[in-house]
Amino acid sequence: MGKAIAVRFLPDEVTVKAEVGEPLLEVARRAGVTIPTGCLMGSCHACEVEILGGPNLCACISGVPAGTDEITVNLESDPLW
């Protein structure tokens, strides 16, 4: 079993434990948080989220990053999706 870290989703202020490498979409679903999706291949960027202090990631193709005990995911909602 991998290392569990806290994943906090903004603006909902929901925090759940997740394993490093666990798909971000699955972590969000487990937390009851919706991340909009489109192509599910990372091409359309509908699922792009901001990792505070880190890069923007497409949640459909990205896992929970290693190297920290906690990450904060800022969900940006595009009204066109």
Side-chain angles (χ1 to χ4, degrees):
M1 182 177 272
K3 179 183 176 190
I5 68 169
V7 179
R8 181 171 65 130
F9 291 96
L10 298 178
D12 298 343
E13 290 292 340
V14 175
T15 302
V16 295
K17 290 287 188 183
E19 299 290 323
V20 169
E22 188 175 352
L24 282 174
L25 277 183
E26 294 301 317
V27 175
R29 285 186 188 123
R30 191 162 32 84
V33 174
T34 301
I35 297 176
T37 60
C39 69
L40 297 176
M41 296 183 302
S43 297
C44 72
H45 294 268
C47 65
E48 188 169 293
V49 297
E50 175 188 10
I51 306 297
L52 295 186
N56 288 357
L57 301 174
C58 288
C60 71
I61 59 169
S62 299
V64 174
T68 186
D69 292 330
E70 179 179 302
I71 65 167
T72 300
V73 180
N74 187 21
L75 303 177
E76 297 179 14
S77 180
D78 184 338
L80 298 177
W81 284 101

